[in-house]
Amino acid sequence: MICDEELCHQVQEGNEAAMEALVHRFHRPVFGYLFRHLENRSAAEDLTQETFARLLVRVHQYRFPQPFKPWLFTIAQNLYRDHCKAQANRSTVPVAEPISPAVPEPYDLSLRIAERIEVITAIRSLEAPQREVLLLRYYHDLKVDEIADVVGVPSGTIKSRLFGAMGKLRDLLGAEEGGHGREASGKGSRQ
Amino acid sequence: MAVKRPAREVANDLDNRIDAEVLSQVFDRLDDYAIPEPAPVDTDRLIAAIRPLMPPVARPASSRFRSYALERPGLPLWRALLPQMRLFHPAWWLGSLAVLMVGLLVAGPLAADGWPVSILAPALVIGGVAYSLRTLRGGGLEIELACPITPAQAILARMIVVLVYNTALGGICALAMPGPALALLLPWCASLTFFAGLTLALTTLTETTPAVALSLMVWGGLILLRATRLTLFATSVEGGGTLAQVGALVAGLALAAYALAGSRAMRLLGRGGL
């Protein structure tokens, strides 16, 4: 399989097939990242399109073979920040979609829904910088140094934010030292 | 309870201030954060929307370099040098010549004060290395992907251009100056080779600009140390001067070999240093 970096270089040279491959590869992750930030499907779709549009407009700035994924998430991150500033200037509070978790198996529907709402609420309760780091580290598997590049702060700050986020989630979700916690559902949704 | 890989990794990130097992429990819960996913039709729509923004199809630099080299049969060295020669614009050739002309003008007064002309050589070669390693669009991909030569050979070819041209300038200088040509040429070549190797080696360890700055500092340091009879910049070959200059020559070659060995040349490419 051609690596992301090689595909991006081919996009620099005007290869449309490479562009399509990159979009197929990263549409879901970028949308997921922005959706988890915005909690609004329509806004996440708009920003996802803007992210890929900006990728093409600025593709000449990409320098092979630097890692592509952090570079792409930096674009998404910057657009998200611009979006937040624009929202703040409009003085209208953006409307987050109500929590509507995917429907699980019917036999324990109410319990599963309650658990999912608990998780989403816990993540929403994190401060924005902590949530940003958590999303990139856990759901998108970026390394601490790569997150530092995306967010534009030192690695030490990223570790500190990650520590804060994990500590808060541990408290909110009731994970215990040496405990068994809730049984793993086996249906991870990392993307 | 089995601890999952992400939990172990994040625990390491946090220097194990939170137990991996606890993180694993948290991550099990985080997997519940299900989100909607774009359908294939959404991806197709996205591709259609951004397609007009595609950069124009261009003949890639890599192909230009490859065809330029392959269309010209000859010695391997020549085939390596030809594509690299295109990177050196007239401004560099003329700029180096101008520096030497200024050097010739001040050589007389310098020599009268006991300063050799070779003291100017580092300026030429450090500038030459920085120029030849300047950033190009797309980093060094043109070399890595397509040239019929390795990255190390490409870097070496650029170094050869810089060194040969500056040595030739030193030869002109030696002919124009009174005294035996070897006594002038040896310190000149020693100085060139040492600072070329040093700058190149430093460039593989840090970025090009700090490497150039460090080389300039070493140059300044050696000028200052001359007062303590460090003889790289000596006017006379007496008193171990020749030995020091030959030593500098060998050290320069060793530093260049260090920079070009193994994966270091690739790292230089990776940072877009070329």
Side-chain angles (χ1 to χ4, degrees):
Chain A
M1 188 173 78
I2 300 177
C3 67
D4 305 334
E5 290 74 22
E6 174 57 32
L7 282 176
C8 188
H9 176 67
Q10 290 184 20
V11 173
Q12 286 179 321
E13 296 181 347
N15 184 335
E16 286 198 14
M19 179 271 284
E20 289 179 17
L22 267 186
V23 174
H24 278 289
R25 209 174 273 185
F26 284 99
H27 187 195
R28 250 179 62 171
V30 170
F31 172 80
Y33 177 66
L34 291 168
F35 182 87
R36 285 190 168 104
H37 267 308
L38 293 159
E39 299 154 356
N40 180 303
R41 179 164 193 152
S42 168
E45 281 173 347
D46 288 347
L47 275 195
T48 302
Q49 181 167 325
E50 275 190 61
T51 301
F52 284 98
R54 189 174 285 190
L55 161 73
L56 291 189
V57 170
R58 299 191 178 176
V59 73
H60 63 279
Q61 294 175 359
Y62 170 74
R63 290 166 70 177
F64 183 91
Q66 285 178 352
F68 171 76
K69 193 172 166 184
W71 188 70
L72 176 64
F73 276 89
T74 304
I75 295 175
Q77 175 66 23
N78 288 340
L79 283 169
Y80 168 68
R81 284 181 182 167
D82 292 346
H83 174 84
C84 291
K85 281 180 198 163
Q87 290 288 348
N89 290 339
R90 276 183 214 156
S91 75
T92 54
V93 180
V95 180
E97 286 178 352
I99 298 169
S100 54
V103 178
E105 300 78 359
Y107 59 87
D108 56 358
L109 189 67
S110 59
L111 176 62
R112 298 295 299 278
I113 288 177
E115 286 176 346
R116 289 178 186 208
I117 288 175
E118 186 185 12
V119 171
I120 295 170
T121 307
I123 291 175
R124 285 185 184 181
S125 74
L126 295 176
E127 291 168 18
Q130 290 178 341
R131 186 168 50 175
E132 183 175 271
V133 172
L134 172 79
L135 296 184
L136 290 169
R137 183 68 187 91
Y138 182 65
Y139 290 107
H140 300 287
D141 207 23
L142 265 64
K143 307 295 175 214
V144 167
D145 290 342
E146 292 175 335
I147 299 171
D149 287 341
V150 172
V151 178
V153 299
S155 299
T157 308
I158 297 298
K159 286 185 180 180
S160 165
R161 288 177 185 177
L162 188 59
F163 178 72
M166 296 316 304
K168 193 165 183 181
L169 289 177
R170 175 193 57 197
D171 297 341
L172 290 171
L173 299 176
E176 293 170 7
E177 195 102 20
H180 296 286
R182 191 182 63 89
E183 272 189 31
S185 65
K187 293 185 177 179
S189 60
R190 292 175 77 199
Q191 57 171 308
Chain B
M1 176 184 173
V3 176
K4 290 180 181 175
R5 180 185 62 85
R8 284 197 302 271
E9 288 180 359
V10 173
N12 281 336
D13 290 345
L14 302 177
D15 302 324
N16 294 304
R17 284 182 291 167
I18 299 181
D19 188 65
E21 198 173 321
V22 173
L23 289 174
S24 193
Q25 290 175 40
V26 173
F27 289 163
D28 282 341
R29 300 295 310 276
L30 289 183
D31 285 344
D32 281 338
Y33 191 179
I35 57 168
E37 292 182 356
V41 66
D42 296 326
T43 306
D44 293 340
R45 202 178 299 133
L46 172 61
I47 289 170
I50 64 171
R51 195 184 299 279
L53 299 172
M54 273 296 291
V57 178
R59 193 179 175 203
S62 50
S63 303
R64 285 203 304 273
F65 275 89
R66 174 194 282 160
S67 56
Y68 194 90
L70 292 180
E71 286 163 8
R72 288 162 178 76
L75 294 172
L77 175 65
W78 190 238
R79 287 175 60 177
L81 277 175
L82 268 179
Q84 308 307 321
M85 293 279 281
R86 295 174 48 151
L87 298 172
F88 293 88
H89 298 162
W92 179 75
W93 302 98
L94 295 174
S96 297
L97 189 61
V99 170
L100 188 84
M101 291 296 116
V102 173
L104 277 176
L105 284 177
V106 300
L110 278 177
D113 291 340
W115 295 97
V117 151
S118 64
I119 211 162
L120 299 172
L124 285 173
V125 79
I126 293 170
V129 172
Y131 183 83
S132 66
L133 300 186
R134 71 193 188 282
T135 303
L136 297 175
R137 181 177 175 274
L141 191 71
E142 79 277 8
I143 294 164
E144 189 195 350
L145 287 184
C147 276
I149 53 176
T150 65
Q153 284 173 317
I155 297 167
L156 184 61
R158 293 186 192 186
M159 288 301 97
I160 288 173
V161 174
V162 173
L163 285 174
V164 167
Y165 181 56
N166 285 320
T167 304
L169 292 180
I172 296 169
C173 199
L175 290 174
M177 298 283 289
L182 181 65
L184 289 168
L185 210 50
L186 180 61
W188 180 270
C189 290
S191 212
L192 284 181
T193 313
F194 178 73
F195 278 94
L198 179 69
T199 311
L200 193 58
L202 287 173
T203 307
T204 64
L205 299 174
T206 175
E207 300 293 332
T208 304
T209 307
V212 167
L214 285 169
S215 295
L216 291 173
M217 285 168 65
V218 172
W219 178 32
L222 286 180
I223 291 173
L224 292 176
L225 281 174
R226 186 179 168 279
T228 62
R229 304 187 68 77
L230 190 129
T231 48
L232 176 59
F233 294 127
T235 48
S236 164
V237 294
E238 294 169 0
T242 305
L243 197 63
Q245 286 152 10
V246 171
L249 202 72
V250 173
L253 292 173
L255 284 167
Y258 164 81
L260 297 174
S263 60
R264 280 182 287 272
M266 274 308 298
R267 249 184 292 159
L268 215 160
L269 288 171
R271 285 204 314 270
L274 285 179

